[in-house]
Structure formats: C-alpha cells, structure tokens
Amino acid sequence: MKTNSTLQLKLKRGLDLPLKGEALEKLPAVAPSAVSICPDDFPGITPKLDVKEGDEVAIGTPLMHDKEYPQIVLASPAKGVVKEVVRGSRRKIERVVVTPQGDIDCNEDAPDKNTVSMMSREEAVEALCRSGLWSWMRQLPYAIVPRPDAVPRDIFVAGFDSAPLSTGFDGSSITAKNIQAGINYLARLTDGKIYISKRPSQAQPSVTGAVWVEISGPHPAGNPDVMVNHIAPVNKGETVWTLDIDTLDKIGYWARTGSGASLTSVAITGPEAVNRGLVRTLVGADMHTLLAGHIVDDGKHHRIVAGNVLTGVRTDIDGYLHFPYRQVTVIAEGDDKDEMLGWASLSPNKMSASRTFLSAYMPKRKLGGDALLHGGRRAMIMSGVYDRMLPMDIMLEPLVKAILSRNIEEMEALGIYEIAPEDVAVAEWADPSKLELQKIVREGLDYMRREA
Amino acid sequence: MNPLRRIFDKARPLFEEGGRLSALHSVYEGFDSFLFTPKTTSSSGVHMHDSIDSKRIMITVVVALLPCLLFGMYNTGYQNWLGAGAVQSDYSFWGMMLYGFLAVLPKLLTAYIVGLGIEFVSAQIKHEEIQEGFLVTGILIPLICPVNTPCWMIAVATAFAVIFAKEVFGGTGYNIFNVALVTRAFLFFAYPAQMSGDKVFVATEPIMGVGHTVGFADGFSGATPLGQAATHAGGEMTLTNILGDPLSLWDAFLGLIPGSFGETSTLCILIGAAILLIGGIADWRIILSVFAGGVVMGFVAHTFSTPTYPCSFLTPWEQLCYGGFAFAAVFMATDPVTAARTAAGKYIYGFMIGVIAILIRTYNNGYPEGAMLAVLLMNAFAPLIDYCVIQGNVRRRRNRLISKA
C-alpha cells in the first residue's frame, strides 16, 4: 500500500512576514566552545540527571532521561566533558553544558550495520529512545515528545520550514541514503503511512515508502500539524508523530551506522545581524561562538532569538542554540527609542497585516522590526484575525476562549488535539489585542494532559 | 530626548502608588500611552508583533465618521436656514458649518467628558489600562441623536450606557450590546417626546448669534421622511422637505433632509464605509448582508404595499437612504465586539438586521425607525448565531470520529 504518490495542498491563510535579514552565504563551519541541552525545549519530559560536572561524555551519551519513561534520553551532542549543570529555582534543571573536545565532524561514510531488520518493534522503539533522537520528534495530541507506549497512526515529516527568514533545510546535509534508512526505520514503528511535505519547487529525493505532500502557501504551511489537519486529522484517542526532515536524516544516519549525528546547519539571520549566512556547527552551540562577528555593538538594544522570531526562544550572547537548532535571529529590542503617537503613524516601515498601514500595500518590501508589543494587551475586539492566520480547520477564537475557561469538553470538541502552540504563532503576531496565544495553547494542552 | 517625554517622566512619581496624585494613575497612564508608544516588549511567544493595536483601530473608525460629522454640521445649518424661509441672501456655506459646529460641540463634549470620565474611574478602580472603545462611542452618540437633544439627557444616557451596558460586563470587549445604541435606546424610551416627532430634528434657535429662529407655522413641519411616512393617512404619499416641497431620492442620498445629526447622508456614510473596508477594520460581510437584507425586505414590503402601512409605499432604495439604516449598517452593525464573530455567522447576523430594521419601520407605525432596535436585537442573538456556526465545526469533528469507529 505504500507508494510514491504525491498529494497537493494549496493553502491560502497565514502570512510570510516581510522581515529583512536573510542568510545568504555559506559560512565556514565553527566548532563551538560549549554546547548545551535544555530540557524545557522538549515538552512532556521531566528531566532526571544522568551525569555530573566533570564527567566525560561521547556523542549520544545520555545527559538526562525522562522520569516517567526512563528510556527517553536527552543525549550529548558532542564528545567532551560536562562543564556544568545549570539549575533554576527549586533545583529545576535548566541546562546541561558540555565542553566539546576533538573534531566536530562526523564520518558520513561510516559503514552500514544492518542490525535494524533483526529488531522487533519494541526493540526498535527502545533503541530510538536511547539514541536521543526520539526526543526530537513530537506527537499530536499535546505537542509533546512521543509517549513510547502509543503506536502512531501515521507519521508526518516536515520537509521544509516556512518560518520567517528560515533557510529551510540545507540540502547538502540531507542525503537520500539517510532519508531512505530513516523511512525504513520509522515504517516499522507505525501501521499507517509516512507523509513528507515539500514545496512544489523542491526536488524530491528518490526514496520509497513515503507519500509526498506538495504544499504551497504562506507560513505556517511548513508546520507538520497543518499537513496532518488537511490530510488525516487527529481524532480523540489517536496519536500521530511529527518530525522534520533533518531529524529524519539523523535517524537514518543513526540507523545505518549506529552513531549519532549532531552536526547541523544554522542560519544566522535577522535585521540586526551582519555577515549573515549558514554555518555548520553542533546542535546546542553557544552564542559566543555562533554570533562572533555577526553583531555590531552600535549601542542599540538587541534581542537574540534562538530560532525564528515567531516561535524561537529568547536568549542572550551568553546563551545557546535551542531545539530545533536551525536558526538564530537578531532583531532590535526597540525599548530604547521614543516614538510619539505611534498609533497614528503613516510610516511605510511599520510591519503589519492591517491595511491601515502603508506597508500592507507593499508586500514585497522587506522591513526591519523590533520586539515591541506596539500596543497594550486588550480583550478580544476584532474578529476574524485568527482565522486569516491559521490554515487549519480549527476555529481558533472559540478554542482560545474554551482554553481560557478551562472547559475540557469544549476544548476537545473544538480540536485542541490537532494543534501545537507554534501553529498559532502567526495569529499571535497579527493579534491587535496582543494576546499570548502560544502560551495559552501550551497551557491548555498541559491542562488537558493532566486532567483529561 | 523629547521634551514632552521629559515632562512625563518627571511627573511619573506623582502618579505612582504613594504619590500625591496616585488617584489619577490611570489617567496618567492613559495619556502617556496615547502620546508615546509603550515600551513593553514581548515576554512570551512571538518576538515581534503586528504594528496594529486597538488605538489605531478606534482612530480609524473615528476618521471614517468624520465625513458624517462634517456633513451633519452643514445639514444642521442648512435645515435651520431652510426652516427660516430659505432666504437666498442669508445663504453662507461657512455660516452653516459654524452653526452646525456650535450645535454639535456641546453634545460631543458632553458625551466624551461623561463617558471617558467613567472609563477613567473604572480603569482606576480595576487597576487596568484605559480602554479605547469610548473614543468611537463618544463621537457616535451625538451623530445618532436629534440635534435638539438637551445635553443633560445625553449625559444621563451616556452614563447609563457606559456603566450598565459596558462596565458591569467587564469593559470594552465584553459588552453584549452596542454602547452607543444603548445610549440612543435609553433616550428613546426615557424621553420619547424629545426623540421623535416633528420638532426635534431641526435646530430652531440661533446659537451664539449664529443661525435663525425657525417658527413652525402652518405647513411647516420638521418631520423626517420616515416620520411623515409613519403618520401618513390614506391616499397618495409624497414625502416633503420642511418647506413642504417634494423630496427626491437624490436629496436623501446626499442627506439634505431632517434626521439625526450625522446619519442623513448616505453618500458620507458610504465614504466612511470605504475607509473602514479599505482599512480592513469593518467586515464587508456584515455591511453587505445588512444592505441585502434591507433590499429584500424593502422589496417584499413594496410589492405588497398597503395604505395600512404607508411606509410600504417606499421603494427598497428609498428604504436604504432614509433614516438611520445606512448608518446602522456601516457603523453600528459592524462593531466587532457585539456582532457575530464567525464568518458564516456574520452573513446571518447582517441579513437579519437588514430585514428586521425594515420590518419594524414598515409594519409598526409606533416606531418610525427600526434600525436601532434591529441592531440591538441581533446583538442579543449574535452569540447564538455564533454558537450554531461553531457547532458545525464541532459536528464535523465528531462525525469524523464516529465514521472511524
């Protein structure tokens, strides 16, 4: 039943922010002076520490494991020494930092081991969990690291990234050989299909065993949940897995060779970053190394975002890359300048989806931007804004209201199982009432997981 | 640094907790955030936000209302001049604008001072930011009242509406009924004599020496076209201006007829509609379907016209141009807080407003105009309409689950 058929999705809703600061050139690879794994990037995991400061670790050595499912581990992305375990309030583990030692490159030509075909499904799940790559996948419902005891109905792979200034996936780091091995491995874990999305312009690697889904349309078209919602929505009681093609490639490489791959391409982007480009480095690399020569000290307040401006994690120059480890965006903080009567502005440089701003009439023009809210938090006033920004069969406004009132039945009826916080990021950006939609959705998902 | 910014920063301690003027904290914050973009940056979720905020939305609506306000000024002066005998030598465009300006200014100030005063106080009590909703309500109120409404009535009605139609529900964004229309409805039911009839829609006294004294002698009626239709008895019906000359549809479209201050000119309302639609502030679905509902009901009424209900002699196009219909369609029905919020719901909501407005004004001779009541009625039904639309989505999801099982 698994064929190489191609599905097509033409999405209209959503928006590509006209943000300045693309990564254009390929930059030389850098070896980070430190790498970190932050358990908060892996929702659903309650971390327990496996190492202590000073321990020697290799690529793939577990740094932490989950309390409930100890087989799920967060693995070290580098060979080296554990530098420190950073704890926050109530001794919560914030991150484990490793000082890498030796060469960062991995051996692409490592010999195939072919042990996979001998494994049972349970053994295959267990092995993937222990590799550390399991935690790079997500499941719907709840948008968390998959629970190993649920069998996924289908698996959905995001083959492109539509987020602002994202360079997508670096073609050079993804090989058909790894993708095929990844598909073969995951196919053993589901009874359903494996869907991989791509842009119509993207080349399709010659692999078998997956259904390709050609998606056109603005962000969040690349989010795997959008594809799930259109192809085979998650019903109550069902589980699907989502991952990106970079993770699939890493799973394939690991399945072939038995070793973890933690090299990744990181795009240095954003209107305030200079010498922008794509750099090869380790996942979880430190910002000092990554941003050396990319930030000019011009006295302006900068905001460094690990990720894209919609869903990334706010960090600073002493911070690290966060999962999914593909992008750094530097924007102006914006709190260091006075603006009079900003609401009356006729400036064409104000980014907005609203046609009361001149920029809405020049969608091709790339703009800077800052982290200001550009207004105060209000009750929901305008209607229809969320609908225009979410290309899913979900009525977001009633869903948000159901979440805020903690109404389990309503949340379920309105499709909370089909959504992840990052899917509502564009709606959050466009909301004139400045509601924290991603936070609200995450709290709703956590509440459902606890109570339902 | 901006010198004004410096003054505000210097004054800040006065208004903070423990300062001498801390009781005016919300007022200080209100003016500060009005003059300067707040420096709050995002703390969770997205790191950038759209530049639009509720201030800009409200100001856009105010801008869209300006043509109606300006025309209302002219028309008030014009009707006064007409009532005084239309002496050509007395005609002066700027004189009429001035007269209308003087007529509306006290009402505008009354509405804003009372309404914003209550908003400031309740923001202070609730320790919240001042909400912008009243910026629009304050200009709407004088526009939908007869020009002769006394200021004290506007003050009482505004206070009633802001407190009981908005603040008790939680403020802007939580109200069920359109605040400006609740003001109008309060006036209509509390002071019916001052809200209808043939004396209230034309300013009859000179203001500060500007304008004329209008004596309602024989054959002189200040009744609105719909007022004339409602009281018409038997035979051929001809709507007239206040001099008794017949009115054309064109007069009504331009708005040179007696009526509430800002709602006579369909042309100016359409200019406002264009501003709202180009800016994406009002939903075209609502405006379109209100007019569609009005035309359909107007057509039905006209087809079965009967002397029992003289308003049924009006053509659908006249129905759209007379009274407050167009104004309600563009500025009242589209209030996003009180309207239906789902896309499909907006069609139903708007269509029903159009139908009910014409239904009331045609088949209930007690109410010459039905637009206000139609919008308020559908405000009450909007949550139900949305509920039904949302259930469609819910049912689709449930059926998917059942068909799987």
Side-chain angles (χ1 to χ4, degrees):
Chain A
M1 69 176 248
K2 280 168 189 169
T3 57
N4 263 342
S5 57
T6 304
L7 300 172
Q8 284 190 331
L9 282 184
K10 290 194 168 67
L11 305 178
K12 292 265 183 294
R13 293 178 289 164
L15 187 81
D16 290 321
L17 301 197
L19 186 60
K20 253 197 280 204
E22 286 166 301
L24 295 172
E25 44 184 332
K26 278 233 151 92
L27 301 171
V30 291
S33 57
V35 294
S36 113
I37 294 296
C38 172
D40 275 351
D41 296 340
F42 302 92
I45 282 192
T46 314
K48 292 274 145 193
L49 213 52
D50 288 326
V51 291
K52 55 184 190 303
E53 284 168 24
D55 280 2
E56 286 199 8
V57 291
I59 294 179
T61 305
L63 298 178
M64 289 162 270
H65 66 267
D66 180 43
K67 189 176 161 192
E68 193 182 346
Y69 298 97
Q71 66 269 43
I72 303 179
V73 304
L74 303 179
S76 171
K79 177 180 179 303
V81 177
V82 177
K83 186 181 160 204
E84 63 174 328
V85 176
V86 182
R87 288 179 187 270
S89 58
R90 292 165 62 194
R91 296 191 47 78
K92 177 177 179 282
I93 303 169
E94 296 209 320
R95 66 171 76 98
V96 176
V97 184
V98 173
T99 312
Q101 289 168 343
D103 203 6
I104 65 164
D105 238 326
C106 59
N107 186 4
E108 261 301 318
D109 302 319
D112 287 10
K113 297 204 307 185
N114 271 331
T115 50
V116 181
S117 52
M118 279 128 68
M119 283 192 243
S120 69
R121 181 180 185 277
E122 284 67 37
E123 286 167 335
V125 169
E126 178 92 9
L128 189 55
C129 282
R130 297 208 179 280
S131 75
L133 286 166
W134 181 276
S135 56
W136 286 35
M137 300 195 292
R138 294 290 174 268
Q139 72 159 50
L140 286 177
Y142 310 124
I144 51 173
V145 172
R147 314 281 89 180
D149 42 19
V151 179
R153 188 200 66 203
D154 297 297
I155 297 174
F156 293 83
V157 182
F160 66 97
D161 186 353
S162 55
L165 299 179
S166 162
T167 45
F169 298 96
D170 182 12
S172 64
S173 66
I174 288 168
T175 63
K177 196 157 80 168
N178 288 344
I179 297 292
Q180 187 64 67
I183 292 171
N184 294 348
Y185 195 93
L186 290 183
R188 302 164 53 79
L189 307 185
T190 176
D191 300 326
K193 294 182 185 174
I194 296 174
Y195 296 89
I196 308 180
S197 68
K198 71 180 210 57
R199 288 296 200 190
S201 58
Q202 243 174 319
Q204 184 172 317
S206 56
V207 293
T208 56
V211 180
W212 289 85
V213 186
E214 232 176 64
I215 303 179
S216 58
H219 188 60
N223 289 12
D225 321 299
V226 174
M227 170 170 50
V228 180
N229 186 266
H230 283 269
I231 291 171
V234 185
N235 296 305
K236 190 186 179 183
E238 292 176 344
T239 302
V240 303
W241 291 352
T242 61
L243 61 152
D244 59 48
I245 199 159
D246 187 43
T247 305
L248 183 66
D249 183 86
K250 286 185 166 56
I251 290 175
Y253 177 73
W254 165 82
R256 282 201 301 118
T257 65
S259 43
S262 41
L263 263 181
T264 189
S265 285
V266 180
I268 312 287
T269 63
E272 299 299 319
V274 294
N275 307 321
R276 297 180 295 266
L278 264 182
V279 65
R280 293 281 281 170
T281 191
L282 290 177
V283 305
D286 68 307
M287 290 292 169
H288 278 293
T289 310
L290 267 181
L291 290 178
H294 293 294
I295 294 188
V296 182
D297 187 15
D298 51 4
K300 255 206 243 180
H301 294 182
H302 289 142
R303 174 176 288 219
I304 299 170
V305 178
N308 65 68
V309 289
L310 291 178
T311 60
V313 180
R314 182 185 186 173
T315 180
D316 53 36
I317 193 72
D318 298 322
Y320 299 85
L321 270 180
H322 284 257
F323 183 83
Y325 313 116
R326 281 198 301 270
Q327 192 180 0
V328 179
T329 313
V330 188
I331 60 172
E333 184 71 20
D335 61 350
D336 44 4
K337 59 168 201 261
D338 288 314
E339 189 195 22
M340 270 192 89
L341 303 177
W343 48 265
S345 172
L346 295 174
S347 160
N349 296 325
K350 292 230 157 197
M351 198 192 291
S352 179
S354 158
R355 295 193 302 268
T356 60
F357 283 92
L358 288 172
S359 65
Y361 300 90
M362 300 174 267
K364 291 244 151 56
R365 207 161 149 266
K366 300 282 183 208
L367 301 170
D370 51 45
L372 288 173
L373 290 187
H374 299 288
R377 193 150 288 145
R378 295 287 182 269
M380 280 183 203
I381 294 176
M382 299 300 278
S383 56
V385 180
Y386 299 169
D387 288 344
R388 284 196 291 278
M389 296 298 164
L390 180 67
M392 294 168 92
D393 183 20
I394 283 184
M395 302 187 95
L396 187 55
E397 193 187 300
L399 177 60
V400 166
K401 286 177 181 169
I403 294 173
L404 290 174
S405 59
R406 296 285 183 264
N407 185 333
I408 292 176
E409 262 175 43
E410 287 266 292
M411 284 191 247
E412 219 173 82
L414 290 164
I416 194 166
Y417 297 138
E418 300 165 41
I419 206 163
E422 52 266 30
D423 303 330
V424 303
V426 191
E428 182 178 342
W429 172 81
D431 185 5
S433 297
K434 319 290 177 192
L435 295 180
E436 297 174 295
L437 295 183
Q438 291 184 83
K439 195 175 164 192
I440 292 169
V441 168
R442 172 48 71 197
E443 285 170 1
L445 292 168
D446 290 349
Y447 181 80
M448 290 299 278
R449 194 151 61 91
R450 268 199 320 275
E451 306 288 328
Chain B
M1 197 197 262
N2 188 313
L4 196 58
R5 182 67 259 173
R6 214 171 302 142
I7 295 170
F8 265 87
D9 286 343
K10 225 167 152 186
R12 179 175 289 276
L14 277 178
F15 293 95
E16 295 204 316
E17 200 89 19
R20 267 187 299 139
L21 298 173
S22 64
L24 294 173
H25 181 72
S26 69
V27 180
Y28 171 84
E29 282 294 332
F31 277 99
D32 190 9
S33 68
F34 189 80
L35 286 171
F36 297 95
T37 305
K39 288 187 182 168
T40 333
T41 54
S42 65
S43 53
S44 90
V46 293
H47 298 276
M48 297 179 79
H49 281 85
D50 196 314
S51 302
I52 188 94
D53 68 341
S54 49
K55 284 189 178 61
R56 191 173 181 96
I57 291 169
M58 299 301 171
I59 293 297
T60 308
V61 183
V62 170
V63 169
L65 281 164
L66 288 181
C68 289
L69 179 70
L70 293 173
F71 186 87
M73 290 180 194
Y74 174 76
N75 189 42
T76 301
Y78 176 79
Q79 296 297 331
N80 175 262
W81 170 76
L82 212 57
V87 184
Q88 279 304 325
S89 58
D90 282 347
Y91 181 89
S92 136
F93 174 80
W94 290 109
M96 290 177 183
M97 289 302 282
L98 179 63
Y99 182 80
F101 173 74
L102 292 174
V104 77
L105 187 65
K107 297 170 185 79
L108 208 54
L109 289 178
T110 308
Y112 270 121
I113 290 168
V114 172
L116 285 181
I118 295 169
E119 294 267 359
F120 281 10
V121 171
S122 62
Q124 181 73 27
I125 293 170
K126 291 192 282 186
H127 298 285
E128 279 176 3
E129 278 182 58
I130 289 170
Q131 318 250 319
E132 296 84 356
F134 198 81
L135 289 179
V136 173
T137 315
I139 191 170
L140 280 174
I141 290 171
L143 292 187
I144 57 175
C145 289
V147 67
N148 288 343
T149 315
C151 282
W152 67 267
M153 283 186 197
I154 289 185
V156 172
T158 303
F160 173 85
V162 172
I163 294 170
F164 290 103
K166 182 152 86 168
E167 291 308 328
V168 295
F169 288 98
T172 305
Y174 298 105
N175 48 311
I176 297 171
F177 295 104
N178 184 309
V179 182
L181 278 182
V182 172
T183 311
R184 181 69 166 82
F186 181 88
L187 288 168
F188 186 80
F189 290 110
Y191 312 106
Q194 281 83 1
M195 287 299 120
S196 50
D198 53 5
K199 300 281 188 291
V200 300
F201 290 100
V202 176
T204 51
E205 301 293 331
I207 305 168
M208 296 168 76
V210 184
H212 311 275
T213 309
V214 178
F216 283 102
D218 286 335
F220 232 47
S221 164
T224 63
L226 288 179
Q228 296 168 35
T231 52
H232 178 79
E236 195 76 356
M237 182 174 77
T238 315
L239 301 179
T240 60
N241 68 9
I242 59 176
L243 291 181
D245 300 330
L247 278 175
S248 66
L249 187 60
W250 182 244
D251 292 327
F253 182 75
L254 288 181
L256 294 168
I257 53 174
S260 293
F261 189 87
E263 60 186 28
T264 56
S265 172
T266 312
L267 175 67
C268 290
I269 293 165
L270 289 179
I271 295 171
I275 294 172
L276 291 180
L277 291 177
I278 291 170
I281 301 295
D283 203 304
W284 59 269
R285 295 176 185 87
I286 296 180
I287 298 182
L288 183 76
S289 49
V290 175
F291 279 112
V295 168
V296 168
M297 191 59 221
F299 183 75
V300 171
H302 191 58
T303 308
F304 303 102
S305 55
T306 148
T308 323
Y309 302 111
C311 205
S312 60
F313 288 123
L314 297 177
T315 62
W317 319 115
E318 288 171 321
Q319 297 273 26
L320 300 190
C321 292
Y322 288 138
F325 186 90
F327 193 87
V330 173
F331 294 109
M332 296 297 179
T334 53
D335 169 14
V337 175
T338 54
R341 299 183 68 87
T342 53
K346 283 168 183 165
Y347 291 114
I348 304 168
Y349 166 84
F351 190 80
M352 290 304 291
I353 286 178
V355 168
I356 294 171
I358 303 299
L359 199 69
I360 294 178
R361 69 155 74 146
T362 308
Y363 295 108
N364 188 332
N365 292 343
Y367 298 107
E369 174 55 303
M372 168 187 86
L373 294 173
V375 175
L376 286 174
L377 183 69
M378 291 315 291
N379 280 172
F381 279 105
L384 182 66
I385 296 171
D386 281 340
Y387 176 81
C388 296
V389 174
I390 293 166
Q391 284 311 302
N393 181 282
V394 168
R395 212 170 307 121
R396 202 155 55 240
R397 190 164 286 113
R398 196 186 304 133
N399 291 345
R400 202 170 72 203
L401 186 61
I402 293 167
S403 68
K404 276 249 170 183

